[in-house]
Amino acid sequence: RVRVGERRVIRMVNLRNSIHAMQHPIHIHGQRFRILSVNGVAPPAWAWKDTVLLPAGATVDLLVEFTNPGHWMLHCHIAEHMEAGMMTHFIVEG
């Protein structure tokens, strides 16, 4: 749960030594974010996004701006991964 107007840093880690290591397109519904870093390196340009590619073996830090109240989800855009549980639900309270 978060409140409208909050900003939070979310770190996502994609372990290379997993059973089937691969990249994942991660999507956050209803909110926007900026990529702070990929493996500790800032991107060359800042842009608001709703999806980030999480490479195998990478750590990505996102600055999420929660401005849209409601029930939302974060998930991998590969349908089989989402169906297997690679998703979560969050609430933005107004």
Side-chain angles (χ1 to χ4, degrees):
R1 291 182 182 265
V2 296
R3 301 221 25 98
V4 168
E6 283 187 45
R7 288 184 172 189
R8 300 251 181 116
V9 174
I10 295 177
R11 172 169 282 173
M12 291 188 281
V13 178
N14 187 359
L15 299 176
R16 183 169 294 286
N17 62 353
S18 65
I19 294 171
H20 183 63
M22 65 178 291
Q23 61 188 6
H24 297 282
I26 303 296
H27 177 67
I28 300 178
H29 283 253
Q31 315 306 316
R32 64 185 191 168
F33 60 81
R34 288 182 168 176
I35 299 170
L36 295 176
S37 67
V38 178
N39 293 327
V41 178
W46 285 78
W48 289 109
K49 300 180 173 291
D50 67 2
T51 304
V52 62
L53 187 60
L54 181 58
T59 297
V60 174
D61 290 327
L62 307 176
L63 176 63
V64 183
E65 183 177 70
F66 295 95
T67 58
N68 197 359
H71 292 248
W72 303 100
M73 62 187 278
L74 177 154
H75 64 89
C76 179
H77 242 258
I78 299 171
E80 296 85 8
H81 296 180
M82 186 172 58
E83 183 66 25
M86 197 172 190
M87 64 180 186
T88 191
H89 171 261
F90 62 94
I91 299 169
V92 180
E93 297 175 330

